[in-house]
Amino acid sequence: MRVPLSILDLVSISEGSTAQQAIADSMSAARVADRLGYTRLWFAEHHNTENIASSATALIIAEAAHATERIRLGSGGVMLPNHAPLMVAEQYGTLANVHGDRIDLGLGRAPGTDMMTAQALSRSSAEPQAFAQSIYDLQGWFSAAGVAHSTPISSAVSAGTEVPIWVLGSTVNGASIAGQLGLPFSLASHFAPDQIDEAIRVYRDSFTTESATAQIDRPQVMAGINVMVADSDAEAERQFTSVGQMFAGMARGQRGKLRPPVDPTTPGLDSPMLSIKAVGSPSTAARQLEEFAERTGADELITVTYAHDPAVRERSLELLADVWF
């Protein structure tokens, strides 16, 4: 039986487009994903980046919840050091009260931006122990009592919502935190391929149900993978050059909007950060996804698809769903 497939959306802004149009295109893709049977749709927090419009995850999730009926929605993730944890509890508790049991809260320690912008955003510590304490407090605000474990401060809007918390990470550090807290772990293997096997091993080895924060009774891994599906291998490879150009620009310190595809043989597009991928025709992509799922033993895969043309992305979602579900 194949593992569930989910979607991570950064609400990318293409050359010639705007943030307003990118958000509208993202909501269109959300409706497609909801209809096709994908498990989750998560939005990633990034800042000071010209080609991404998903900075305010709670607001984007609210829009997606109004546009969909079934699919789970969440953050992949909220970069907790950028926020006061109480505000996160209130925002996601509000989402759960409005939209019911469809909301996930994925939390990360990375700033999701450059250090100057991180300083402008910073509200809590990214140190592992402080990060774990913030998660502990968040769970208290989501509990029936609605009170943080370390303070008497209450949150009526999040009390009793029991919003599921995931820990995001790209290294063994995040994996260890997730395991020790007894929480599900989402691995950012789609851009950080170097520690995949070790991080998953550390997570499973360190997992405990004895922590006060534990929400699940066994380790649960979701692994990220870049995906582009088209009618042929050649067309999928060509469309995938849009993300190749984006990562090549990042390597040079250039962060522009998402560019149209180019010839796949163009030099400099094969970034090691994009090595975890399923790119090709439906049968090719499905085989690559199966191989990655077998390698990692992941309980779920979360797919990341960038396309300059929003119609190409929706076509990729449809072709993959046809062969996978």
Side-chain angles (χ1 to χ4, degrees):
M1 184 175 178
R2 285 171 165 164
V3 300
L5 287 186
S6 294
I7 298 166
L8 178 64
D9 188 358
L10 282 76
V11 193
S12 57
I13 307 172
S14 298
E15 279 190 350
S17 188
T18 63
Q20 182 180 33
Q21 186 58 52
I23 293 170
D25 293 336
S26 179
M27 295 306 104
S28 176
R31 286 187 284 271
V32 171
D34 189 44
R35 170 175 57 83
L36 292 173
Y38 288 87
T39 300
R40 308 173 204 274
L41 173 59
W42 282 4
F43 297 92
E45 176 189 345
H46 287 271
H47 303 278
N48 194 28
T49 303
E50 185 180 348
N51 67 328
I52 292 175
S54 59
S55 302
T57 56
L59 295 178
I60 294 288
I61 290 166
E63 287 296 305
H66 285 298
T68 59
E69 297 178 357
R70 176 203 55 81
I71 196 168
R72 293 194 65 85
L73 300 157
S75 60
V78 165
M79 299 297 105
L80 196 52
N82 297 341
H83 305 274
L86 176 59
M87 288 295 294
V88 176
E90 291 174 337
Q91 289 169 357
Y92 281 78
T94 300
L95 286 169
N97 273 297
V98 174
H99 300 290
D101 184 25
R102 296 173 61 199
I103 306 301
D104 297 324
L105 175 57
L107 299 170
R109 289 195 304 130
T113 186
D114 58 272
M115 295 313 298
M116 180 178 67
T117 308
Q119 289 178 355
L121 291 164
S122 182
R123 292 304 305 265
S124 59
S125 174
E127 291 300 314
Q129 188 59 44
F131 180 65
Q133 181 63 51
S134 292
I135 293 175
Y136 188 50
D137 286 339
L138 273 167
Q139 280 201 334
W141 282 311
F142 289 134
S143 70
V147 180
H149 295 290
S150 65
T151 79
I153 297 171
S154 65
S155 170
V157 74
S158 60
T161 57
E162 305 290 348
V163 173
I165 293 177
W166 289 69
V167 174
L168 279 59
S170 59
T171 67
V172 295
N173 291 331
S176 178
I177 291 171
Q180 291 176 51
L181 294 180
L183 296 174
F185 179 51
S186 183
L187 177 63
S189 38
H190 59 289
F191 69 81
D194 293 342
Q195 295 188 34
I196 292 174
D197 303 301
E198 186 179 4
I200 292 174
R201 179 187 58 76
V202 166
Y203 169 64
R204 290 179 175 142
D205 288 349
S206 62
F207 183 84
T208 178
T209 60
E210 296 180 2
S211 170
T213 54
Q215 290 185 339
I216 50 179
D217 57 12
R218 64 175 185 82
Q220 185 174 350
V221 174
M222 180 195 302
I225 182 168
N226 298 287
V227 171
M228 173 56 71
V229 188
D231 292 313
S232 68
D233 289 352
E235 178 59 16
E237 292 286 356
R238 190 180 77 87
Q239 292 294 340
F240 195 68
T241 62
S242 289
V243 67
Q245 292 177 82
M246 181 179 73
F247 273 72
M250 289 167 54
R252 297 191 298 266
Q254 301 169 352
R255 295 177 178 268
K257 293 183 178 180
L258 198 62
R259 296 178 178 177
V262 295
D263 187 332
T265 64
T266 302
L269 300 183
D270 192 18
S271 170
M273 295 175 69
L274 296 173
S275 61
I276 304 303
K277 60 185 178 181
V279 176
S281 67
S283 59
T284 298
R287 174 178 51 79
Q288 292 169 340
L289 284 164
E290 288 171 343
E291 290 172 352
F292 183 60
E294 183 176 354
R295 169 188 169 181
T296 58
D299 302 282
E300 189 172 331
L301 299 181
I302 188 162
T303 64
V304 187
T305 301
Y306 292 93
H308 177 265
D309 182 349
V312 170
R313 182 188 180 204
E314 291 190 12
R315 175 68 172 160
S316 178
L317 294 175
E318 290 170 345
L319 289 172
L320 181 55
D322 285 345
V323 75
W324 193 265
F325 298 134

